[in-house]
Amino acid sequence: MAAARPRTIFLVFLAIALQGFGGVLPFARRALVDRRAWLTPDDFNETLSLCQSLPGPNIVNLSIAVGARACGWRGSLAAVAGLVGAPVVIVITLGVLYGQFGGLQLVQRAIIGLAAAAAGLVTATAARMAEPLLKRRALTAAPFILGGFVAVGVFRLPLPYVLLVLAPLSIAIMWKRSA
Amino acid sequence: MSLAWPILRALAVQFSLLSLLAFGGANAVIPEIHRQSVAIHHWMTDKDFAALFAIAQSAPGPNFLISTLVGWKAAGIPGALVATAAMCSPSCLLTFWAVKAWDRHHDHPWRTAIGAGIAPVTVGLVFSSAYVLVRAADSSWRLGLVTAVTAAIVYFTKLNPLWCLAAAALLGLTGVFGTP
């Protein structure tokens, strides 16, 4: 990708973050691939799939990768600061406002509606993530989707232990299949 | 306001660990954040958690902002900053290192296997998050209906989800869901 200065990287990711209501990824693709041409479409997909197989929010990982390739750790730092800084200030402000006015009846009424819709949003996200896996390889995917859901969602078992059991098993199966 | 060191330490430990477990982003670790902050540390009630999650969803930016708000609820602004830094730093350092390694050794089969193997587990965790949020938010059939309709719209259409959040908040203002 073309060389870019930390300042430019910071500003590009700041703009991406502020546009990203209800999902930052589409805006990131538009800015990085279409407008800045820092990544080709193939680079974007490949980098994203690398970022998706690592822990942490995809988009934050993507900013680390783009920044690192442009100018090392300073690029990564600039990208993350741009992406994270403003939303954190905004959400803390909203939190403080909620703390001040959250007791008001009107605010509480709005929040219970908002919370119900937010729960629906996550349900749809889960369904959308499940769909391609179930279409392509239901036999190897479904047991782990169900296992993760029952263990963590229904029985509320601690996440680290559940991951320690399910992830290696699932990875081993995919490894055997590819070998 | 004096700093609540034990709480800040608990936030730092909890969210740095979750950072490294958050395959697929913060949505995968919602049940664990909920378990820690409601059941174990009693920083908030179930209802508070649902409200904070809703606020985080309606702000722009990446979806780990729920950790910022949990930190804020537990220990004010210092808590928010500690929780945010803890939720970001470990996974960022790991990614930085992984990208360097990745650019050196392209096309290793282990990477594909890890990615493909973790994917279904992550999906199961996001379903868990949905379940935890539904149980916290839907205290009546009307609210359940809002959840179902939102899920259907977001799943089947390309409408910006923010419209659903705004519509639900406005509907709430009219009082059809009652007042908690």
Side-chain angles (χ1 to χ4, degrees):
Chain A
M1 70 174 263
R5 297 214 322 257
R7 211 178 98 90
T8 320
I9 296 172
F10 174 83
L11 291 175
V12 167
F13 277 97
L14 178 69
I16 291 174
L18 290 178
Q19 293 169 71
F21 279 98
V24 187
L25 208 57
F27 298 99
R29 194 179 186 287
R30 219 167 61 112
L32 299 173
V33 178
D34 301 337
R35 297 195 42 217
R36 293 270 163 181
W38 282 350
L39 300 171
T40 67
D42 280 341
D43 283 343
F44 185 85
N45 288 350
E46 193 202 285
T47 309
L48 186 63
S49 79
L50 169 67
C51 292
Q52 276 170 338
S53 53
L54 294 165
N58 300 333
I59 182 68
V60 177
N61 290 348
L62 188 76
S63 72
I64 293 278
V66 170
R69 284 175 183 159
C71 51
W73 65 269
R74 282 172 306 133
S76 294
L77 208 61
V80 171
L83 188 68
V84 170
V88 164
V89 172
I90 293 173
V91 88
I92 291 177
T93 310
L94 289 176
V96 170
L97 287 175
Y98 174 69
Q100 292 286 326
F101 303 109
L104 296 182
Q105 213 181 50
L106 269 183
V107 176
Q108 291 199 351
R109 284 177 173 177
I111 291 277
I112 53 175
L114 194 61
L121 184 56
V122 177
T123 309
T125 307
R128 277 211 168 157
M129 290 171 76
E131 198 192 304
L133 284 175
L134 292 177
K135 270 187 181 153
R136 239 182 12 232
R137 51 181 185 97
L139 218 59
T140 53
F144 292 100
I145 296 178
L146 200 66
F149 173 69
V150 171
V152 173
V154 180
F155 288 113
R156 307 308 303 276
L157 299 176
L159 178 64
Y161 303 119
V162 175
L163 270 180
L164 270 179
V165 174
L166 289 183
L169 243 151
S170 181
I171 291 168
I173 288 174
M174 295 322 286
W175 176 256
K176 272 205 117 169
R177 281 198 133 197
S178 70
Chain B
M1 182 181 145
S2 64
L3 289 178
W5 288 109
I7 299 183
L8 291 181
R9 195 166 52 237
L11 286 168
V13 170
Q14 177 194 332
F15 282 109
S16 340
L17 180 63
L18 287 180
S19 174
L20 291 175
L21 298 176
F23 290 97
N27 274 344
V29 291
I30 295 292
E32 186 69 9
I33 299 179
H34 179 275
R35 197 176 73 92
Q36 297 265 352
S37 44
V38 177
I40 295 183
H41 294 295
H42 305 291
W43 289 328
M44 65 192 76
T45 66
D46 208 24
K47 290 269 175 285
D48 287 332
F49 188 87
L52 292 185
F53 183 79
I55 293 171
Q57 284 289 318
S58 49
N63 67 357
F64 66 87
L65 293 170
I66 178 65
S67 54
T68 309
L69 284 178
V70 165
W72 168 77
K73 183 81 181 169
I77 299 216
L81 298 178
V82 167
T84 309
M87 187 71 189
C88 282
S89 309
S91 62
C92 282
L93 286 173
L94 182 68
T95 301
F96 184 78
W97 171 81
V99 167
K100 294 269 169 199
W102 173 241
D103 287 346
R104 273 200 304 274
H105 321 273
H106 221 255
D107 292 335
H108 265 281
W110 56 260
R111 208 198 64 80
T112 328
I114 291 176
I118 285 173
V121 182
T122 299
V123 174
L125 297 180
V126 179
F127 272 115
S128 304
S129 300
Y131 182 69
V132 167
L133 291 168
V134 164
R135 299 215 19 183
D138 294 348
S139 48
S140 70
W141 68 268
R142 283 178 176 166
L143 288 165
L145 194 64
V146 170
T147 302
V149 169
T150 306
I153 291 176
V154 176
Y155 183 78
F156 290 110
T157 75
K158 293 200 165 193
L159 191 76
N160 190 328
L162 211 64
W163 292 113
C164 295
L165 297 180
L170 282 176
L171 240 117
L173 276 182
T174 67
V176 283
F177 307 133
T179 309

